[in-house]
Amino acid sequence: MAGSKFRPDRGLTARMVMTMVLLFLVYVAFVVGLVLAGLNVVLVLVLVVAFALFSYFSSDKIAMFAMGAKEVTPEQAPDLHAMVDRLCAMADMSKPRVGIADTDVPNAFATGHNEKSAVICVTTGLTRRLDGPELEAVVAHELSHIAHRDVMVMTIAGFLGIVAGFLTQAGLRFAMFAGAGGRGNNNGPAPAVVALLVVVVSAVAWILSFLLTRALSRYRELAADRAAAYLTGRPSMLGSALSKITGDMARIPTRDLRQAEPFNAFFFAPAFAKKGFSMNQLIATHPPVEQRLAQLSDISRQLGRGA
């Protein structure tokens, strides 16, 4: 992917490096905190490593399964494959696997921990709503995530949150079962106290990893919009697709949107999004639609001036 013709984004690269460094520090503090809380160091390391490996190597399969998506061959989806082939040739990048999810939620996503496992997926709801150039712009947006390697970073960054969330829930259940007033033996604190300490450490780690990955997620969407707009030379098509998708989200049954919401960070557009700036934007997976459209309008003016 190093030779990709997608425009390099130093801001994205710097943010990915910073996020990984900060998450590593959170990871170390997380492990130390669990050990100090009373958990066995070997058990903690085994648990964290197991979750990390599972999340890293199975991210593409988990996402495809959860969305009900299936990989398709060029014979099954010739137009979509031809579009991906054309864009990959333009970007000078290897072609990822191609999938389709049979859902009316109009969206697309890319996932995978490396080039070989990368997959780009579109929903049937998206292909029904967008014209050819609009769909091409969305596909270019998703391909840029693979070329910039931010999909891999998001996959790695997400595993700590998964571990921390799991331990938080497990600790709460154990604390309730053991009882806050339980007594330990002479060699250590009560089991309920240990469980509550695990909950506190895990909750802090989850909050920090959550905020770091959300901040990176918002920036990477803007970076992918820019990269796709410059590659295709038609930022207006990406803006049109974004307007159509966000406008039609309101017509999708809430139940379907709720099922898709856990994967917002990987989607082209979030299943739920509030307009304008609010405190919710600090924890949002995507920047406001207005900000994305304004950026695309600026790129259109630049291309119009031959910049």
Side-chain angles (χ1 to χ4, degrees), residues 26-28 30-32 34-35 39-56 156 159-164 166-167 202:
V26 172
Y27 163 77
V28 172
F30 175 59
V31 172
V32 172
L34 291 179
V35 173
L39 293 188
N40 181 275
V41 62
V42 176
L43 175 64
V44 171
L45 291 176
V46 169
L47 181 64
V48 172
V49 171
F51 266 101
L53 292 176
F54 177 77
S55 176
Y56 183 74
I156 297 173
F159 95 87
L160 178 59
I162 295 174
V163 176
F166 170 79
L167 288 178
S202 301

PDB file of all heavy atoms in Angstrom, residues 26-28 30-32 34-35 39-56 156 159-164 166-167 202:
ATOM      1  N   VAL A  26      -1.884   3.261  27.948  1.00  0.00           N
ATOM      2  CA  VAL A  26      -3.102   2.866  28.656  1.00  0.00           C
ATOM      3  C   VAL A  26      -3.104   1.354  28.876  1.00  0.00           C
ATOM      4  O   VAL A  26      -3.495   0.866  29.947  1.00  0.00           O
ATOM      5  CB  VAL A  26      -4.359   3.297  27.860  1.00  0.00           C
ATOM      6  CG1 VAL A  26      -5.621   2.712  28.501  1.00  0.00           C
ATOM      7  CG2 VAL A  26      -4.458   4.809  27.809  1.00  0.00           C
ATOM      8  N   TYR A  27      -2.663   0.618  27.872  1.00  0.00           N
ATOM      9  CA  TYR A  27      -2.605  -0.852  27.955  1.00  0.00           C
ATOM     10  C   TYR A  27      -1.685  -1.305  29.085  1.00  0.00           C
ATOM     11  O   TYR A  27      -2.029  -2.174  29.894  1.00  0.00           O
ATOM     12  CB  TYR A  27      -2.123  -1.388  26.607  1.00  0.00           C
ATOM     13  CG  TYR A  27      -1.617  -2.805  26.616  1.00  0.00           C
ATOM     14  CD1 TYR A  27      -2.489  -3.881  26.660  1.00  0.00           C
ATOM     15  CD2 TYR A  27      -0.253  -3.070  26.562  1.00  0.00           C
ATOM     16  CE1 TYR A  27      -2.021  -5.186  26.657  1.00  0.00           C
ATOM     17  CE2 TYR A  27       0.232  -4.363  26.562  1.00  0.00           C
ATOM     18  CZ  TYR A  27      -0.658  -5.411  26.612  1.00  0.00           C
ATOM     19  OH  TYR A  27      -0.187  -6.694  26.612  1.00  0.00           O
ATOM     20  N   VAL A  28      -0.500  -0.676  29.177  1.00  0.00           N
ATOM     21  CA  VAL A  28       0.441  -1.027  30.235  1.00  0.00           C
ATOM     22  C   VAL A  28      -0.150  -0.699  31.608  1.00  0.00           C
ATOM     23  O   VAL A  28      -0.096  -1.512  32.543  1.00  0.00           O
ATOM     24  CB  VAL A  28       1.779  -0.289  30.045  1.00  0.00           C
ATOM     25  CG1 VAL A  28       2.686  -0.505  31.252  1.00  0.00           C
ATOM     26  CG2 VAL A  28       2.475  -0.764  28.777  1.00  0.00           C
ATOM     27  N   PHE A  30      -3.236  -0.436  32.319  1.00  0.00           N
ATOM     28  CA  PHE A  30      -4.373  -1.334  32.512  1.00  0.00           C
ATOM     29  C   PHE A  30      -3.921  -2.661  33.128  1.00  0.00           C
ATOM     30  O   PHE A  30      -4.479  -3.146  34.115  1.00  0.00           O
ATOM     31  CB  PHE A  30      -5.049  -1.546  31.158  1.00  0.00           C
ATOM     32  CG  PHE A  30      -6.167  -2.541  31.156  1.00  0.00           C
ATOM     33  CD1 PHE A  30      -7.277  -2.373  31.964  1.00  0.00           C
ATOM     34  CD2 PHE A  30      -6.123  -3.642  30.313  1.00  0.00           C
ATOM     35  CE1 PHE A  30      -8.329  -3.278  31.943  1.00  0.00           C
ATOM     36  CE2 PHE A  30      -7.161  -4.552  30.275  1.00  0.00           C
ATOM     37  CZ  PHE A  30      -8.269  -4.376  31.088  1.00  0.00           C
ATOM     38  N   VAL A  31      -2.874  -3.250  32.553  1.00  0.00           N
ATOM     39  CA  VAL A  31      -2.352  -4.529  33.046  1.00  0.00           C
ATOM     40  C   VAL A  31      -1.805  -4.371  34.462  1.00  0.00           C
ATOM     41  O   VAL A  31      -2.087  -5.189  35.353  1.00  0.00           O
ATOM     42  CB  VAL A  31      -1.264  -5.067  32.094  1.00  0.00           C
ATOM     43  CG1 VAL A  31      -0.591  -6.300  32.706  1.00  0.00           C
ATOM     44  CG2 VAL A  31      -1.860  -5.419  30.736  1.00  0.00           C
ATOM     45  N   VAL A  32      -1.023  -3.307  34.674  1.00  0.00           N
ATOM     46  CA  VAL A  32      -0.461  -3.071  36.011  1.00  0.00           C
ATOM     47  C   VAL A  32      -1.570  -2.865  37.036  1.00  0.00           C
ATOM     48  O   VAL A  32      -1.524  -3.383  38.154  1.00  0.00           O
ATOM     49  CB  VAL A  32       0.480  -1.848  35.979  1.00  0.00           C
ATOM     50  CG1 VAL A  32       0.907  -1.472  37.400  1.00  0.00           C
ATOM     51  CG2 VAL A  32       1.704  -2.139  35.125  1.00  0.00           C
ATOM     52  N   LEU A  34      -4.650  -3.986  36.970  1.00  0.00           N
ATOM     53  CA  LEU A  34      -5.340  -5.247  37.271  1.00  0.00           C
ATOM     54  C   LEU A  34      -4.526  -6.117  38.209  1.00  0.00           C
ATOM     55  O   LEU A  34      -5.070  -6.773  39.107  1.00  0.00           O
ATOM     56  CB  LEU A  34      -5.635  -6.002  35.964  1.00  0.00           C
ATOM     57  CG  LEU A  34      -6.680  -5.389  35.035  1.00  0.00           C
ATOM     58  CD1 LEU A  34      -6.834  -6.240  33.785  1.00  0.00           C
ATOM     59  CD2 LEU A  34      -8.032  -5.236  35.732  1.00  0.00           C
ATOM     60  N   VAL A  35      -3.203  -6.129  38.000  1.00  0.00           N
ATOM     61  CA  VAL A  35      -2.333  -6.924  38.875  1.00  0.00           C
ATOM     62  C   VAL A  35      -2.345  -6.354  40.286  1.00  0.00           C
ATOM     63  O   VAL A  35      -2.445  -7.092  41.277  1.00  0.00           O
ATOM     64  CB  VAL A  35      -0.896  -6.953  38.318  1.00  0.00           C
ATOM     65  CG1 VAL A  35       0.050  -7.635  39.316  1.00  0.00           C
ATOM     66  CG2 VAL A  35      -0.860  -7.693  36.984  1.00  0.00           C
ATOM     67  N   LEU A  39      -5.463  -9.410  40.687  1.00  0.00           N
ATOM     68  CA  LEU A  39      -5.536 -10.492  39.709  1.00  0.00           C
ATOM     69  C   LEU A  39      -4.158 -11.085  39.455  1.00  0.00           C
ATOM     70  O   LEU A  39      -3.143 -10.390  39.528  1.00  0.00           O
ATOM     71  CB  LEU A  39      -6.132  -9.990  38.396  1.00  0.00           C
ATOM     72  CG  LEU A  39      -7.602  -9.562  38.422  1.00  0.00           C
ATOM     73  CD1 LEU A  39      -8.095  -9.271  37.008  1.00  0.00           C
ATOM     74  CD2 LEU A  39      -8.494 -10.623  39.060  1.00  0.00           C
ATOM     75  N   ASN A  40      -4.129 -12.341  39.108  1.00  0.00           N
ATOM     76  CA  ASN A  40      -2.883 -13.030  38.792  1.00  0.00           C
ATOM     77  C   ASN A  40      -2.297 -12.476  37.510  1.00  0.00           C
ATOM     78  O   ASN A  40      -2.984 -12.352  36.497  1.00  0.00           O
ATOM     79  CB  ASN A  40      -3.151 -14.533  38.660  1.00  0.00           C
ATOM     80  CG  ASN A  40      -1.881 -15.310  38.358  1.00  0.00           C
ATOM     81  OD1 ASN A  40      -1.474 -15.424  37.211  1.00  0.00           O
ATOM     82  ND2 ASN A  40      -1.273 -15.850  39.412  1.00  0.00           N
ATOM     83  N   VAL A  41      -1.014 -12.131  37.507  1.00  0.00           N
ATOM     84  CA  VAL A  41      -0.382 -11.491  36.360  1.00  0.00           C
ATOM     85  C   VAL A  41      -0.433 -12.383  35.122  1.00  0.00           C
ATOM     86  O   VAL A  41      -0.639 -11.911  34.000  1.00  0.00           O
ATOM     87  CB  VAL A  41       1.070 -11.090  36.693  1.00  0.00           C
ATOM     88  CG1 VAL A  41       1.917 -12.304  37.034  1.00  0.00           C
ATOM     89  CG2 VAL A  41       1.679 -10.326  35.528  1.00  0.00           C
ATOM     90  N   VAL A  42      -0.251 -13.698  35.306  1.00  0.00           N
ATOM     91  CA  VAL A  42      -0.292 -14.623  34.161  1.00  0.00           C
ATOM     92  C   VAL A  42      -1.694 -14.660  33.563  1.00  0.00           C
ATOM     93  O   VAL A  42      -1.861 -14.629  32.346  1.00  0.00           O
ATOM     94  CB  VAL A  42       0.142 -16.044  34.598  1.00  0.00           C
ATOM     95  CG1 VAL A  42      -0.004 -17.015  33.434  1.00  0.00           C
ATOM     96  CG2 VAL A  42       1.581 -16.017  35.095  1.00  0.00           C
ATOM     97  N   LEU A  43      -2.710 -14.706  34.431  1.00  0.00           N
ATOM     98  CA  LEU A  43      -4.094 -14.724  33.967  1.00  0.00           C
ATOM     99  C   LEU A  43      -4.417 -13.456  33.172  1.00  0.00           C
ATOM    100  O   LEU A  43      -5.047 -13.521  32.114  1.00  0.00           O
ATOM    101  CB  LEU A  43      -5.040 -14.848  35.159  1.00  0.00           C
ATOM    102  CG  LEU A  43      -6.548 -14.749  34.842  1.00  0.00           C
ATOM    103  CD1 LEU A  43      -6.974 -15.901  33.952  1.00  0.00           C
ATOM    104  CD2 LEU A  43      -7.360 -14.737  36.141  1.00  0.00           C
ATOM    105  N   VAL A  44      -3.961 -12.313  33.684  1.00  0.00           N
ATOM    106  CA  VAL A  44      -4.223 -11.037  33.007  1.00  0.00           C
ATOM    107  C   VAL A  44      -3.574 -11.016  31.628  1.00  0.00           C
ATOM    108  O   VAL A  44      -4.204 -10.655  30.632  1.00  0.00           O
ATOM    109  CB  VAL A  44      -3.696  -9.854  33.859  1.00  0.00           C
ATOM    110  CG1 VAL A  44      -3.768  -8.554  33.067  1.00  0.00           C
ATOM    111  CG2 VAL A  44      -4.498  -9.729  35.140  1.00  0.00           C
ATOM    112  N   LEU A  45      -2.306 -11.422  31.557  1.00  0.00           N
ATOM    113  CA  LEU A  45      -1.592 -11.401  30.279  1.00  0.00           C
ATOM    114  C   LEU A  45      -2.214 -12.366  29.274  1.00  0.00           C
ATOM    115  O   LEU A  45      -2.355 -12.040  28.095  1.00  0.00           O
ATOM    116  CB  LEU A  45      -0.115 -11.734  30.496  1.00  0.00           C
ATOM    117  CG  LEU A  45       0.700 -10.665  31.241  1.00  0.00           C
ATOM    118  CD1 LEU A  45       2.127 -11.154  31.480  1.00  0.00           C
ATOM    119  CD2 LEU A  45       0.718  -9.360  30.446  1.00  0.00           C
ATOM    120  N   VAL A  46      -2.579 -13.548  29.738  1.00  0.00           N
ATOM    121  CA  VAL A  46      -3.211 -14.531  28.849  1.00  0.00           C
ATOM    122  C   VAL A  46      -4.529 -13.998  28.308  1.00  0.00           C
ATOM    123  O   VAL A  46      -4.825 -14.109  27.113  1.00  0.00           O
ATOM    124  CB  VAL A  46      -3.435 -15.864  29.591  1.00  0.00           C
ATOM    125  CG1 VAL A  46      -4.329 -16.789  28.754  1.00  0.00           C
ATOM    126  CG2 VAL A  46      -2.105 -16.543  29.870  1.00  0.00           C
ATOM    127  N   LEU A  47      -5.322 -13.395  29.195  1.00  0.00           N
ATOM    128  CA  LEU A  47      -6.622 -12.854  28.791  1.00  0.00           C
ATOM    129  C   LEU A  47      -6.464 -11.741  27.770  1.00  0.00           C
ATOM    130  O   LEU A  47      -7.129 -11.730  26.731  1.00  0.00           O
ATOM    131  CB  LEU A  47      -7.374 -12.343  30.023  1.00  0.00           C
ATOM    132  CG  LEU A  47      -8.765 -11.753  29.770  1.00  0.00           C
ATOM    133  CD1 LEU A  47      -9.696 -12.823  29.230  1.00  0.00           C
ATOM    134  CD2 LEU A  47      -9.328 -11.163  31.064  1.00  0.00           C
ATOM    135  N   VAL A  48      -5.573 -10.791  28.063  1.00  0.00           N
ATOM    136  CA  VAL A  48      -5.375  -9.644  27.172  1.00  0.00           C
ATOM    137  C   VAL A  48      -4.821 -10.096  25.823  1.00  0.00           C
ATOM    138  O   VAL A  48      -5.290  -9.661  24.765  1.00  0.00           O
ATOM    139  CB  VAL A  48      -4.438  -8.613  27.831  1.00  0.00           C
ATOM    140  CG1 VAL A  48      -4.065  -7.521  26.830  1.00  0.00           C
ATOM    141  CG2 VAL A  48      -5.112  -7.982  29.040  1.00  0.00           C
ATOM    142  N   VAL A  49      -3.820 -10.967  25.839  1.00  0.00           N
ATOM    143  CA  VAL A  49      -3.219 -11.435  24.584  1.00  0.00           C
ATOM    144  C   VAL A  49      -4.228 -12.226  23.763  1.00  0.00           C
ATOM    145  O   VAL A  49      -4.309 -12.086  22.546  1.00  0.00           O
ATOM    146  CB  VAL A  49      -1.968 -12.288  24.877  1.00  0.00           C
ATOM    147  CG1 VAL A  49      -1.470 -12.956  23.590  1.00  0.00           C
ATOM    148  CG2 VAL A  49      -0.868 -11.418  25.469  1.00  0.00           C
ATOM    149  N   ALA A  50      -5.021 -13.066  24.443  1.00  0.00           N
ATOM    150  CA  ALA A  50      -6.021 -13.871  23.731  1.00  0.00           C
ATOM    151  C   ALA A  50      -7.052 -12.982  23.039  1.00  0.00           C
ATOM    152  O   ALA A  50      -7.389 -13.195  21.862  1.00  0.00           O
ATOM    153  CB  ALA A  50      -6.712 -14.822  24.705  1.00  0.00           C
ATOM    154  N   PHE A  51      -7.553 -11.982  23.748  1.00  0.00           N
ATOM    155  CA  PHE A  51      -8.505 -11.056  23.156  1.00  0.00           C
ATOM    156  C   PHE A  51      -7.869 -10.278  22.011  1.00  0.00           C
ATOM    157  O   PHE A  51      -8.501 -10.028  20.983  1.00  0.00           O
ATOM    158  CB  PHE A  51      -9.034 -10.077  24.223  1.00  0.00           C
ATOM    159  CG  PHE A  51     -10.314 -10.512  24.857  1.00  0.00           C
ATOM    160  CD1 PHE A  51     -10.322 -11.100  26.105  1.00  0.00           C
ATOM    161  CD2 PHE A  51     -11.518 -10.329  24.202  1.00  0.00           C
ATOM    162  CE1 PHE A  51     -11.514 -11.510  26.703  1.00  0.00           C
ATOM    163  CE2 PHE A  51     -12.712 -10.726  24.791  1.00  0.00           C
ATOM    164  CZ  PHE A  51     -12.710 -11.319  26.045  1.00  0.00           C
ATOM    165  N   ALA A  52      -6.616  -9.871  22.194  1.00  0.00           N
ATOM    166  CA  ALA A  52      -5.926  -9.093  21.173  1.00  0.00           C
ATOM    167  C   ALA A  52      -5.775  -9.897  19.884  1.00  0.00           C
ATOM    168  O   ALA A  52      -6.060  -9.405  18.789  1.00  0.00           O
ATOM    169  CB  ALA A  52      -4.565  -8.644  21.682  1.00  0.00           C
ATOM    170  N   LEU A  53      -5.318 -11.136  20.013  1.00  0.00           N
ATOM    171  CA  LEU A  53      -5.114 -11.980  18.833  1.00  0.00           C
ATOM    172  C   LEU A  53      -6.438 -12.295  18.148  1.00  0.00           C
ATOM    173  O   LEU A  53      -6.536 -12.257  16.910  1.00  0.00           O
ATOM    174  CB  LEU A  53      -4.405 -13.279  19.242  1.00  0.00           C
ATOM    175  CG  LEU A  53      -2.958 -13.125  19.708  1.00  0.00           C
ATOM    176  CD1 LEU A  53      -2.411 -14.473  20.182  1.00  0.00           C
ATOM    177  CD2 LEU A  53      -2.088 -12.557  18.588  1.00  0.00           C
ATOM    178  N   PHE A  54      -7.457 -12.591  18.950  1.00  0.00           N
ATOM    179  CA  PHE A  54      -8.760 -12.904  18.367  1.00  0.00           C
ATOM    180  C   PHE A  54      -9.326 -11.700  17.615  1.00  0.00           C
ATOM    181  O   PHE A  54      -9.806 -11.819  16.494  1.00  0.00           O
ATOM    182  CB  PHE A  54      -9.727 -13.332  19.469  1.00  0.00           C
ATOM    183  CG  PHE A  54     -11.125 -13.602  18.970  1.00  0.00           C
ATOM    184  CD1 PHE A  54     -11.412 -14.785  18.300  1.00  0.00           C
ATOM    185  CD2 PHE A  54     -12.132 -12.676  19.153  1.00  0.00           C
ATOM    186  CE1 PHE A  54     -12.692 -15.036  17.818  1.00  0.00           C
ATOM    187  CE2 PHE A  54     -13.420 -12.916  18.690  1.00  0.00           C
ATOM    188  CZ  PHE A  54     -13.699 -14.096  18.011  1.00  0.00           C
ATOM    189  N   SER A  55      -9.252 -10.527  18.245  1.00  0.00           N
ATOM    190  CA  SER A  55      -9.768  -9.315  17.625  1.00  0.00           C
ATOM    191  C   SER A  55      -8.990  -8.973  16.371  1.00  0.00           C
ATOM    192  O   SER A  55      -9.572  -8.596  15.344  1.00  0.00           O
ATOM    193  CB  SER A  55      -9.709  -8.153  18.625  1.00  0.00           C
ATOM    194  OG  SER A  55     -10.125  -6.948  18.021  1.00  0.00           O
ATOM    195  N   TYR A  56      -7.671  -9.107  16.425  1.00  0.00           N
ATOM    196  CA  TYR A  56      -6.808  -8.720  15.307  1.00  0.00           C
ATOM    197  C   TYR A  56      -7.037  -9.614  14.089  1.00  0.00           C
ATOM    198  O   TYR A  56      -7.220  -9.121  12.972  1.00  0.00           O
ATOM    199  CB  TYR A  56      -5.349  -8.791  15.749  1.00  0.00           C
ATOM    200  CG  TYR A  56      -4.364  -8.344  14.699  1.00  0.00           C
ATOM    201  CD1 TYR A  56      -4.208  -6.999  14.388  1.00  0.00           C
ATOM    202  CD2 TYR A  56      -3.564  -9.270  14.031  1.00  0.00           C
ATOM    203  CE1 TYR A  56      -3.292  -6.594  13.427  1.00  0.00           C
ATOM    204  CE2 TYR A  56      -2.645  -8.878  13.071  1.00  0.00           C
ATOM    205  CZ  TYR A  56      -2.512  -7.539  12.781  1.00  0.00           C
ATOM    206  OH  TYR A  56      -1.610  -7.137  11.823  1.00  0.00           O
ATOM    207  N   ILE A 156      -6.753  -2.621  15.853  1.00  0.00           N
ATOM    208  CA  ILE A 156      -5.869  -2.819  17.006  1.00  0.00           C
ATOM    209  C   ILE A 156      -6.332  -1.968  18.181  1.00  0.00           C
ATOM    210  O   ILE A 156      -6.362  -2.428  19.330  1.00  0.00           O
ATOM    211  CB  ILE A 156      -4.419  -2.456  16.629  1.00  0.00           C
ATOM    212  CG1 ILE A 156      -3.913  -3.396  15.526  1.00  0.00           C
ATOM    213  CG2 ILE A 156      -3.509  -2.518  17.848  1.00  0.00           C
ATOM    214  CD1 ILE A 156      -2.557  -3.014  14.968  1.00  0.00           C
ATOM    215  N   PHE A 159      -9.371  -3.322  20.419  1.00  0.00           N
ATOM    216  CA  PHE A 159      -9.364  -4.530  21.242  1.00  0.00           C
ATOM    217  C   PHE A 159      -9.271  -4.226  22.726  1.00  0.00           C
ATOM    218  O   PHE A 159      -9.855  -4.930  23.545  1.00  0.00           O
ATOM    219  CB  PHE A 159      -8.233  -5.474  20.807  1.00  0.00           C
ATOM    220  CG  PHE A 159      -6.963  -5.334  21.593  1.00  0.00           C
ATOM    221  CD1 PHE A 159      -6.781  -6.042  22.775  1.00  0.00           C
ATOM    222  CD2 PHE A 159      -5.943  -4.504  21.164  1.00  0.00           C
ATOM    223  CE1 PHE A 159      -5.604  -5.932  23.503  1.00  0.00           C
ATOM    224  CE2 PHE A 159      -4.779  -4.385  21.883  1.00  0.00           C
ATOM    225  CZ  PHE A 159      -4.606  -5.092  23.057  1.00  0.00           C
ATOM    226  N   LEU A 160      -8.537  -3.159  23.100  1.00  0.00           N
ATOM    227  CA  LEU A 160      -8.421  -2.829  24.520  1.00  0.00           C
ATOM    228  C   LEU A 160      -9.776  -2.477  25.099  1.00  0.00           C
ATOM    229  O   LEU A 160     -10.114  -2.880  26.212  1.00  0.00           O
ATOM    230  CB  LEU A 160      -7.447  -1.670  24.718  1.00  0.00           C
ATOM    231  CG  LEU A 160      -7.271  -1.190  26.169  1.00  0.00           C
ATOM    232  CD1 LEU A 160      -6.784  -2.338  27.046  1.00  0.00           C
ATOM    233  CD2 LEU A 160      -6.306  -0.014  26.230  1.00  0.00           C
ATOM    234  N   GLY A 161     -10.563  -1.750  24.337  1.00  0.00           N
ATOM    235  CA  GLY A 161     -11.905  -1.411  24.789  1.00  0.00           C
ATOM    236  C   GLY A 161     -12.757  -2.649  24.983  1.00  0.00           C
ATOM    237  O   GLY A 161     -13.564  -2.718  25.914  1.00  0.00           O
ATOM    238  N   ILE A 162     -12.577  -3.639  24.099  1.00  0.00           N
ATOM    239  CA  ILE A 162     -13.333  -4.883  24.214  1.00  0.00           C
ATOM    240  C   ILE A 162     -12.949  -5.622  25.500  1.00  0.00           C
ATOM    241  O   ILE A 162     -13.811  -6.076  26.260  1.00  0.00           O
ATOM    242  CB  ILE A 162     -13.078  -5.784  22.987  1.00  0.00           C
ATOM    243  CG1 ILE A 162     -13.633  -5.122  21.725  1.00  0.00           C
ATOM    244  CG2 ILE A 162     -13.710  -7.161  23.191  1.00  0.00           C
ATOM    245  CD1 ILE A 162     -13.294  -5.872  20.453  1.00  0.00           C
ATOM    246  N   VAL A 163     -11.641  -5.726  25.761  1.00  0.00           N
ATOM    247  CA  VAL A 163     -11.174  -6.398  26.975  1.00  0.00           C
ATOM    248  C   VAL A 163     -11.660  -5.661  28.216  1.00  0.00           C
ATOM    249  O   VAL A 163     -12.173  -6.268  29.162  1.00  0.00           O
ATOM    250  CB  VAL A 163      -9.627  -6.485  26.990  1.00  0.00           C
ATOM    251  CG1 VAL A 163      -9.147  -7.097  28.300  1.00  0.00           C
ATOM    252  CG2 VAL A 163      -9.145  -7.314  25.815  1.00  0.00           C
ATOM    253  N   ALA A 164     -11.495  -4.330  28.212  1.00  0.00           N
ATOM    254  CA  ALA A 164     -11.886  -3.533  29.377  1.00  0.00           C
ATOM    255  C   ALA A 164     -13.389  -3.623  29.622  1.00  0.00           C
ATOM    256  O   ALA A 164     -13.842  -3.738  30.757  1.00  0.00           O
ATOM    257  CB  ALA A 164     -11.464  -2.079  29.175  1.00  0.00           C
ATOM    258  N   PHE A 166     -15.371  -6.081  28.764  1.00  0.00           N
ATOM    259  CA  PHE A 166     -15.674  -7.432  29.243  1.00  0.00           C
ATOM    260  C   PHE A 166     -15.357  -7.565  30.731  1.00  0.00           C
ATOM    261  O   PHE A 166     -16.157  -8.090  31.515  1.00  0.00           O
ATOM    262  CB  PHE A 166     -14.859  -8.452  28.447  1.00  0.00           C
ATOM    263  CG  PHE A 166     -14.896  -9.848  29.001  1.00  0.00           C
ATOM    264  CD1 PHE A 166     -15.990 -10.667  28.781  1.00  0.00           C
ATOM    265  CD2 PHE A 166     -13.840 -10.341  29.757  1.00  0.00           C
ATOM    266  CE1 PHE A 166     -16.027 -11.951  29.306  1.00  0.00           C
ATOM    267  CE2 PHE A 166     -13.868 -11.623  30.283  1.00  0.00           C
ATOM    268  CZ  PHE A 166     -14.970 -12.424  30.051  1.00  0.00           C
ATOM    269  N   LEU A 167     -14.185  -7.067  31.142  1.00  0.00           N
ATOM    270  CA  LEU A 167     -13.796  -7.176  32.549  1.00  0.00           C
ATOM    271  C   LEU A 167     -14.671  -6.306  33.444  1.00  0.00           C
ATOM    272  O   LEU A 167     -14.938  -6.667  34.588  1.00  0.00           O
ATOM    273  CB  LEU A 167     -12.326  -6.791  32.710  1.00  0.00           C
ATOM    274  CG  LEU A 167     -11.308  -7.805  32.173  1.00  0.00           C
ATOM    275  CD1 LEU A 167      -9.889  -7.288  32.350  1.00  0.00           C
ATOM    276  CD2 LEU A 167     -11.462  -9.153  32.869  1.00  0.00           C
ATOM    277  N   SER A 202     -10.771  -1.245  34.876  1.00  0.00           N
ATOM    278  CA  SER A 202     -11.268  -1.564  33.546  1.00  0.00           C
ATOM    279  C   SER A 202     -12.101  -0.418  32.976  1.00  0.00           C
ATOM    280  O   SER A 202     -12.001  -0.091  31.788  1.00  0.00           O
ATOM    281  CB  SER A 202     -12.109  -2.846  33.581  1.00  0.00           C
ATOM    282  OG  SER A 202     -11.354  -3.929  34.054  1.00  0.00           O
TER     283      SER A 202
END
